[in-house]
Amino acid sequence: MNDSAPRIGVFDSGFGGLTVLRALLEQLPAAEFCYLGDSARLPYGSKSRETVARYAVESARLLESNGAQYLVIACNTASALALDAIRASVRVPVLGVIETGADSAAAVSVSRDVLVLATDATVRSHAYGAACAERGMRALEQACPLLVPLIEEGWTTANPDAERAAVTRRVLQLYLEEAAARARTAGLAPDTLLLGCTHYPLLRDMLGSLAPAGMRILDSAQTTARRVQRELGAMPPTTTPASATTGRCRFLATDSVEKFQSLGSRFLGQPIREVEHIDLGG
Amino acid sequence: MNDSAPRIGVFDSGFGGLTVLRALLEQLPAAEFCYLGDSARLPYGSKSRETVARYAVESARLLESNGAQYLVIACNTASALALDAIRASVRVPVLGVIETGADSAAAVSVSRDVLVLATDATVRSHAYGAACAERGMRALEQACPLLVPLIEEGWTTANPDAERAAVTRRVLQLYLEEAAARARTAGLAPDTLLLGCTHYPLLRDMLGSLAPAGMRILDSAQTTARRVQRELGAMPPTTTPASATTGRCRFLATDSVEKFQSLGSRFLGQPIREVEHIDLGG
C-alpha cells in the first residue's frame, strides 16, 4: 500500500464496469482501485430512475467511506439516471461515462450524427442525446435490452458453440436494422457507433462485421481513463489514512463472490482472485 | 371488503407470479388477494441463495403485515431457495410452487422421468430433483436463463414482428436440444415437461410445437390454485382486521408502477389498473 497513490472508487451495477477498470488499470499504473459491483440488484438497465438513484447513491457512499478519493461511475445507466444524485451525496469528485463517451464521439464524428446503443433506462433518460447536443451532434439512441443477458450468458464469439453466438448476432442485427430504419425516418446519417453500455465491448468483433462499412465503433473506457488521469494529475496529494487492504485492486460485490470471480474475469480480461461480499442492506 | 373472505398474499420477484394469480382468481372466486412483485430487485433467477432468501423473507413479512392469512410463493426461484427461511419468518401457512409442480407431474407421468425447465438458481438448488424423487420420479433439470428476458421483452408469438419470436424459438430449441442430449447420456426418457418458472407459460404454444410429440407440458398454476382452495377450506374463519383496500386484488411493486401495469397485464391476461409502489429498503 502506497500512501501517495491515488485511491479510485469504481462503481457498476455488476460486471460491465470491469471493461472500464481494465482501461483505468492500464492508464493509471500508480493508482489503487476499489471496484464495487452491485450484483445483488442488477440489472439497473430495466429499472426506474428512482430505484437506480437509490442503489447508486448507497454504492457511491460506501466507496467514499472505504477511502475513495475519486469516483468513476462505470455504469451508463447509473451515469444517465443518477449522476446528480451521486454528486450531491458524496464529497469527492465523481465522473460518469456518458460525458466521456460523448467526448470520444465528438473527437471523431464527421457527420456529427451518432448512433448510441444502450440499455432501455439509459435510452429513456436521453442522457446521450443531451450530451451529444452539447457537443453539436445529434444522437440516435437505440435500446438493446437483450444484449446484457446474452453477454452475461456468454453467447458471444468466445463461446465454443457457434450456434449460440449466432443467436446474439441475429439479435444485434435486429436492433441495428431497427436503428437504421429510425435513422432514415429522422434524416440522420450516423458515421459513429457509440457503445453506451459497458457490457457491449464484448460484442465489438460482432459489431464490426454487422455495422455499415466505415462506421467507427467507440466505447467510453479509454476516454474515461484518460480523463481520470488528467484530473488526478491536478489533485492535491492524499491526506486520508491508508485502507487495510493490500494489492492494487480490491473487489466488492453484493451477491455471490464466486459468480463475480467467474463472470467478472471475462470482462476484466484477467483472473479475479479475491472478492469480498458486502451487504448494502437491499 | 368482505371480512369473511380469505386474504391471500401472493409473492413473486416480478411479473411471472401473475400467471399463478390468474389461476387463483379463477379457482377462488370469494378470496381477496394482495400481490407483491419485487421488481426493483428482479431477477432472482441468477442470484445466490443468501440474496434470494433475504429478499423473499422481507417480501413475505410485508405481505403478512398487510393482513395476508396465507402466502403463495408464486416464484420458483424463491420457492426453491427460500421456502424454509420464509416459513421460519412468518406465522401464516406458506405454499411454494415447486411441490405443487412436482404433484402435477406425478399425476400424469407414465415413464416417471420429468424434464424441468427453470432458471439457473432453481436448477442449481436441485429443488425439483428432490421433489420429484420424493414422488418416485427422476427429474432432468435444464437451466434456460435467457427465456425470462426474452419473455419480458415480448419476443413471443404475441409479438407482431415474427423475426423476434423466431429468436426466442431458436433459443428454446437450443435449450431443448441440450436437455435431450443430457437425457440420453443419463438414460432418462421424460414424457412430461414441467415449466419450472412462472414466466414460461407465455411460451406454451412455442413449446407445444418444439417438444417431442406426445410430451405433456405442465405448469404449476392450476395445481397450486387447487391446493390453496383445499387448504383454505380447512382454515378457521378470519379474526384479523380488514385491510384498508377495496377491490379483490391489490398490487404492490418495488419498482416503477407504470412498468408493472404494462408488463404485468400480459402475464395476468387482463388489465392491471392500480399499482402501489412500496419500498422494501433495498
Side-chain angles (χ1 to χ4, degrees):
Chain A
M1 180 77 204
N2 178 352
D3 264 355
S4 68
R7 278 185 288 268
I8 301 170
V10 182
F11 165 62
D12 183 56
S13 59
F15 311 97
L18 292 164
T19 61
V20 178
L21 178 63
R22 191 175 180 167
L24 287 163
L25 284 164
E26 288 163 11
Q27 199 81 29
L28 291 106
E32 292 182 353
F33 297 91
C34 182
Y35 181 97
L36 168 58
D38 190 11
S39 44
R41 306 193 285 198
L42 66 79
Y44 284 9
S46 58
K47 290 168 190 165
S48 68
R49 179 182 294 272
E50 293 67 28
T51 297
V52 169
R54 186 157 51 89
Y55 292 172
V57 162
E58 286 171 11
S59 302
R61 282 187 176 145
L62 182 111
L63 284 168
E64 185 184 37
S65 71
N66 272 271
Q69 302 160 291
Y70 188 99
L71 289 186
V72 177
I73 309 306
C75 170
N76 282 271
T77 304
S79 299
L81 275 61
L83 203 61
D84 290 344
I86 295 169
R87 285 189 171 136
S89 69
V90 297
R91 276 163 302 187
V92 299
V94 180
L95 181 66
V97 285
I98 303 278
E99 298 226 329
T100 54
D103 281 342
S104 68
V108 303
S109 175
V110 175
S111 71
R112 309 313 279 169
D113 290 344
V114 181
L115 169 59
V116 182
L117 305 186
T119 66
D120 192 43
T122 299
V123 166
R124 276 186 286 110
S125 78
H126 297 301
Y128 272 108
C132 286
E134 282 170 18
R135 290 158 181 81
M137 299 183 294
R138 296 182 298 177
L140 182 82
E141 297 158 285
Q142 174 67 40
C144 306
L146 288 165
L147 297 185
V148 167
L150 285 161
I151 292 165
E152 296 209 341
E153 283 307 305
W155 289 33
T156 65
T157 49
N159 195 303
D161 182 350
E163 304 209 58
R164 302 201 160 193
V167 169
T168 303
R169 191 181 161 84
R170 179 69 187 134
V171 171
L172 197 47
Q173 201 172 27
L174 288 169
Y175 287 138
L176 290 173
E177 283 171 6
E178 185 181 324
R182 291 176 52 223
R184 279 191 300 274
T185 306
L188 294 174
D191 63 351
T192 304
L193 194 169
L194 184 53
L195 305 184
C197 170
T198 51
H199 278 69
Y200 299 172
L202 273 72
L203 298 181
R204 190 179 270 272
D205 49 356
M206 228 178 245
L207 277 160
S209 65
L210 285 172
M215 187 174 265
R216 291 285 293 268
I217 301 172
L218 304 175
D219 70 66
S220 52
Q222 296 301 333
T223 323
T224 303
R226 280 194 296 271
R227 170 87 169 262
V228 175
Q229 191 188 35
R230 211 163 56 234
E231 296 198 3
L232 282 180
M235 274 179 79
T238 171
T239 52
T240 50
S243 89
T245 322
T246 55
R248 238 194 111 195
C249 192
R250 188 178 168 201
F251 296 96
L252 310 176
T254 56
D255 194 37
S256 155
V257 299
E258 293 77 18
K259 180 161 184 181
F260 190 94
Q261 281 172 316
S262 64
L263 191 49
S265 300
R266 290 217 316 267
F267 287 89
L268 190 62
Q270 55 180 275
I272 295 176
R273 291 204 173 78
E274 202 175 325
V275 181
E276 300 160 57
H277 180 264
I278 195 132
D279 188 350
L280 286 176
Chain B
M1 179 78 201
N2 178 353
D3 263 356
S4 68
R7 279 185 287 266
I8 301 170
V10 182
F11 166 62
D12 182 57
S13 58
F15 310 97
L18 292 165
T19 62
V20 178
L21 178 63
R22 190 174 178 166
L24 286 164
L25 284 163
E26 288 163 11
Q27 200 79 31
L28 292 107
E32 291 181 353
F33 297 91
C34 181
Y35 181 98
L36 168 59
D38 189 11
S39 43
R41 306 192 286 198
L42 66 79
Y44 284 9
S46 58
K47 290 168 189 166
S48 69
R49 180 182 293 273
E50 293 68 29
T51 297
V52 169
R54 185 157 52 87
Y55 292 172
V57 162
E58 286 171 9
S59 302
R61 283 187 175 144
L62 181 110
L63 284 168
E64 186 185 35
S65 71
N66 272 271
Q69 302 160 292
Y70 189 99
L71 289 186
V72 178
I73 310 305
C75 170
N76 283 270
T77 304
S79 298
L81 273 61
L83 203 61
D84 290 345
I86 295 169
R87 284 190 171 134
S89 70
V90 296
R91 279 164 299 185
V92 299
V94 180
L95 181 66
V97 285
I98 304 278
E99 299 226 328
T100 54
D103 282 342
S104 67
V108 303
S109 174
V110 175
S111 70
R112 311 311 280 169
D113 290 345
V114 181
L115 169 59
V116 182
L117 306 186
T119 65
D120 192 44
T122 299
V123 166
R124 276 187 286 110
S125 77
H126 297 300
Y128 272 108
C132 286
E134 282 171 17
R135 290 158 180 80
M137 300 183 295
R138 295 183 298 178
L140 183 82
E141 297 158 285
Q142 174 67 41
C144 304
L146 288 167
L147 296 187
V148 167
L150 285 161
I151 293 165
E152 297 209 341
E153 283 307 307
W155 290 31
T156 65
T157 48
N159 195 304
D161 182 352
E163 305 208 58
R164 301 200 161 192
V167 168
T168 303
R169 191 181 162 84
R170 180 69 187 135
V171 171
L172 196 47
Q173 201 173 28
L174 288 169
Y175 286 139
L176 290 173
E177 283 171 11
E178 183 181 326
R182 291 177 51 224
R184 280 192 297 276
T185 306
L188 294 174
D191 64 351
T192 305
L193 194 169
L194 185 53
L195 305 185
C197 171
T198 52
H199 278 69
Y200 299 172
L202 273 72
L203 298 180
R204 192 180 270 270
D205 49 355
M206 229 178 244
L207 277 160
S209 66
L210 285 171
M215 188 173 265
R216 292 282 293 268
I217 301 171
L218 304 174
D219 70 67
S220 53
Q222 297 300 332
T223 323
T224 302
R226 281 193 296 273
R227 171 88 169 262
V228 175
Q229 191 187 35
R230 212 163 57 235
E231 297 199 1
L232 282 181
M235 275 180 78
T238 171
T239 53
T240 50
S243 89
T245 322
T246 55
R248 239 194 110 196
C249 192
R250 186 177 167 202
F251 296 96
L252 310 176
T254 57
D255 193 37
S256 154
V257 299
E258 292 77 18
K259 180 161 184 180
F260 190 94
Q261 282 172 315
S262 64
L263 192 49
S265 300
R266 292 217 314 266
F267 287 88
L268 190 61
Q270 55 180 276
I272 295 176
R273 291 203 173 78
E274 204 175 324
V275 181
E276 299 160 59
H277 180 264
I278 196 132
D279 188 351
L280 286 175

